[in-house]
Amino acid sequence: MLEIDNLRFTYPQARDARRTAGEDSASAGAIVQANFRIARGRSTALMGGSGCGKSTILNLIAGFLQPQHGEARFDRRSLLGLAPAQRPLTYLFQTHNLFPHLNVRQNIAIGLHPGMRLSAPQNAAVAQVLEWVCLPEFAARNPSSLSGGQQQRVALARCLARCLAGNRPLLLLDEPFNGLDETLRAQMSARILALQKTHSLTVLITTHQPQDAAALQAEVVAM
Ligand code: ADP
Ligand code: MG
């Protein structure tokens, strides 16, 4: 169970703006806050307009930002004292997911081992996810030679490999299907759903598309 209890964050610039303009001013900076729960093995989709705070919430859960109020627990354990790498999750960032100097296979492998020295089962996981995202023939290519949608699928493949191979029961996906056409969106969501069922993953996704939430059988939280 992922429990997000009144998690609250204001960026320093927004805090300064509130101080200058007064708490009630319409121009005062926004407070990002969230309150929801996701049962183990279930999905939730955070939906809302651009700039409403979806990525901020994922960054708070992943540990790249520290909340000013509230609590985030997974399986009853607070996540807030843990460094990002210690948290039991894998995170697809909205942008800048790939290392430009590594090829596709290495970009996936580095999610499993920082030195990319993989065991036989880990190598099998890399081969499996390359199939899932329909990019096996691109394994030796560099990210700069791929389209935006292909790069997005490599980043997704790294996350899926981590879920497949390791003990990462929580999956955070920030607009994971950007740059993908309808067919690929449907294929990728079917893969995520299948992996979620077999590994009992708890999935938190942000999207603008109601059909993504439906394809993942996700409960919608409007922000
Ligand atoms: P979303 O993902 O829903 O589009 P974000 O979480 O990225 O929204 O941003 C929420 C709000 O916080 C926006 O108003 C945005 O401009 C602001 N914001 C995002 N990142 C920063 C930052 N690093 N510093 C200051 N403000 C930020
Ligand atoms: Mg965002």
Side-chain angles (χ1 to χ4, degrees), residues 9-14 29-32 46-59 65 94 174-175 206 208 223:
F9 181 81
T10 313
Y11 286 98
Q13 293 92 323
I31 296 171
V32 175
L46 286 182
M47 298 194 64
S50 177
C52 74
K54 303 182 295 297
S55 298
T56 303
I57 295 300
L58 297 198
N59 280 317
L65 294 172
Q94 191 167 0
D174 200 355
E175 303 197 25
T206 75
H208 296 281
M223 287 195 61

Side-chain angles (χ1 to χ4, degrees), residues 50-212:
S50 177
C52 74
K54 303 182 295 297
S55 298
T56 303
I57 295 300
L58 297 198
N59 280 317
L60 289 166
I61 296 170
F64 297 105
L65 294 172
Q66 305 303 322
Q68 282 115 14
H69 297 276
E71 182 55 273
R73 280 182 227 93
F74 188 72
D75 285 352
R76 298 175 173 270
R77 213 179 140 207
S78 177
L79 298 173
L80 297 184
L82 302 174
Q86 295 176 313
R87 300 190 184 200
L89 56 86
T90 190
Y91 183 11
L92 179 74
F93 295 90
Q94 191 167 0
T95 51
H96 307 306
N97 278 293
L98 301 183
F99 297 98
H101 60 290
L102 300 181
N103 70 26
V104 165
R105 184 189 303 285
Q106 291 167 328
N107 262 289
I108 298 171
I110 203 165
L112 299 179
H113 183 279
M116 296 179 281
R117 285 184 296 278
L118 303 192
S119 64
Q122 286 173 324
N123 271 317
V126 173
Q128 174 68 264
V129 296
L130 276 167
E131 293 280 345
W132 283 352
V133 300
C134 314
L135 293 173
E137 67 274 31
F138 291 81
R141 295 263 290 263
N142 268 40
S144 61
S145 75
L146 303 180
S147 74
Q150 289 167 335
Q151 292 182 26
Q152 185 72 347
R153 280 182 281 152
V154 176
L156 184 59
R158 181 199 293 150
C159 290
L160 299 183
R162 282 165 61 84
C163 295
L164 194 58
N167 52 346
R168 302 281 173 172
L170 177 57
L171 179 59
L172 308 179
L173 300 170
D174 200 355
E175 303 197 25
F177 307 132
N178 278 350
L180 303 190
D181 62 32
E182 289 304 312
T183 311
L184 276 171
R185 285 180 103 88
Q187 275 177 6
M188 295 306 113
S189 10
R191 275 299 167 208
I192 294 167
L193 186 64
L195 190 65
Q196 182 197 25
K197 301 261 188 245
T198 51
H199 285 65
S200 209
L201 301 176
T202 303
V203 179
L204 178 59
I205 179 181
T206 75
T207 178
H208 296 281
Q209 309 262 8
Q211 61 265 40
D212 291 342

